[in-house]
Amino acid sequence: MTHLSSLIDQAATACAQAKRGVALTGAGISVESGIPPFRGKGGLWEKIDPMKYAHIDALEADPEEVWRMLFMGIGELLRHAAPNAGHTGLRRLEELGLLQTVITQNVDGLHQKAGSQDVIEFHGSHAVLRCMRCPQRYDWQAVPLTMIPPLCACGAYLRPDVIMFGEPIDVGLLQRSQMLAAQCEVMLVVGTSATVQPAAYLPVIAKRNGACIIEINPEPTELTHHISDITLLGPAGKVMDELVARVAKLR
Ligand code: APR
């Protein structure tokens, strides 16, 4: 048995025993769906400077530029993306009664497309546009993008309902996520570099409250040596497939 295989066994045993499991996911879980991550080789922030285009100050100063440089490209990528075995594996763990909630930093909607029922969109959703002046929200698909930025019925610009750098996380979502992290017995941390706060702190909260932290990522991260109990080094889809198959056998 390889080292990875024996670690997957350990992780499967921990997952199968958990009454309350929670997952924290990041861009890496969607890489196998054709969506590049933000950091590292081939990452989006290698091509564009996030402080120039993904900060709220940039959006407020020049919405048209941010739409053209960031939002349009992401919208195009997400339009064709389908869930992969990483997303469906988490849905399966939910069906088995082992995973309560997926907290995702992703704005791609793929956990919901895969059928997960309880998903916290920590950084919002790119599928929803909201007005920069009034409370109105629209489905991205329903808004013709003939004019960039598109306009709300009130005449103001629309923007995707995502959290940009410099913006706070919704207090209700933050509190619920922190509570889930504090109460879970297992936290699966899948495809995140764990560099952006406050999401990156959720595994720390879980660990301090006694949870087993299982990390799935092809590369070691900030969490690997001090926070993670079991690190499964590999792509999310392949590792989740194997993990779920072994968990199912233990049920
Ligand atoms: N499977 C699992 N993980 C993978 C895969 C894969 N196939 N491919 C890459 N990864 C890992 C990388 O090794 C990296 O650790 O996914 C991680 C992606 O890290 P980031 O690009 O930093 O993404 P994320 O952690 O989600 O970023 C957090 O930063 O810019 C913001 O708002 C953005 O929500 C995002 C936040």
Side-chain angles (χ1 to χ4, degrees), residues 10-241:
Q10 286 176 36
T13 305
C15 286
Q17 285 167 356
K19 287 191 192 70
R20 282 181 302 238
V22 166
L24 172 67
T25 67
I29 197 169
S30 297
V31 163
E32 287 151 90
S33 294
I35 304 173
F38 295 98
R39 294 171 187 78
K41 209 165 162 276
L44 188 59
W45 299 155
E46 221 177 37
K47 296 192 185 79
I48 64 169
D49 177 355
M51 288 309 126
K52 211 165 154 198
Y53 299 109
H55 195 284
I56 182 60
D57 293 347
L59 179 64
E60 281 170 359
D62 193 345
E64 187 180 335
E65 178 81 344
V66 172
W67 263 93
R68 291 195 188 284
M69 290 299 294
L70 185 67
F71 298 153
M72 290 301 285
I74 295 180
E76 192 51 34
L77 268 174
L78 302 192
R79 206 152 61 94
H80 304 291
N84 64 60
H87 303 98
T88 53
L90 291 178
R91 185 211 63 217
R92 186 77 190 110
L93 290 181
E94 186 183 72
E95 283 168 357
L96 290 167
L98 302 171
L99 191 75
Q100 210 177 345
T101 305
V102 176
I103 303 168
T104 187
Q105 297 163 87
N106 300 344
V107 296
D108 57 26
L110 292 184
H111 288 296
Q112 292 93 326
K113 272 197 193 165
S116 285
Q117 298 295 309
D118 189 14
V119 181
I120 296 180
E121 292 184 304
F122 204 74
H123 290 166
S125 167
H126 212 271
V128 176
L129 293 177
R130 73 175 157 89
C131 180
M132 289 178 71
R133 183 167 62 198
C134 79
Q136 195 64 43
R137 282 175 151 70
Y138 302 83
D139 187 345
W140 172 291
Q141 307 281 5
V143 175
L145 297 177
T146 41
M147 189 185 147
I148 299 298
L151 296 181
C152 177
C154 80
Y157 288 143
L158 294 174
R159 56 166 284 186
D161 192 15
V162 297
I163 303 287
M164 302 192 73
F165 286 108
E167 290 190 296
I169 305 292
D170 174 272
V171 174
L173 291 189
L174 179 60
Q175 284 175 346
R176 179 159 184 251
S177 302
Q178 289 172 337
M179 192 196 71
L180 286 162
Q183 291 176 349
C184 67
E185 288 147 359
V186 165
M187 181 177 272
L188 282 164
V189 182
V190 190
T192 177
S193 60
T195 47
V196 174
Q197 297 295 353
Y201 201 63
L202 295 171
V204 180
I205 296 176
K207 174 86 173 179
R208 285 200 179 146
N209 285 277
C212 171
I213 312 296
I214 301 168
E215 199 180 3
I216 303 178
N217 198 311
E219 307 282 340
T221 71
E222 304 279 325
L223 303 174
T224 305
H225 299 297
H226 303 294
I227 300 295
S228 299
D229 295 287
I230 304 171
T231 301
L232 306 175
L233 286 175
K238 190 165 166 257
V239 173
M240 280 298 299
D241 244 0

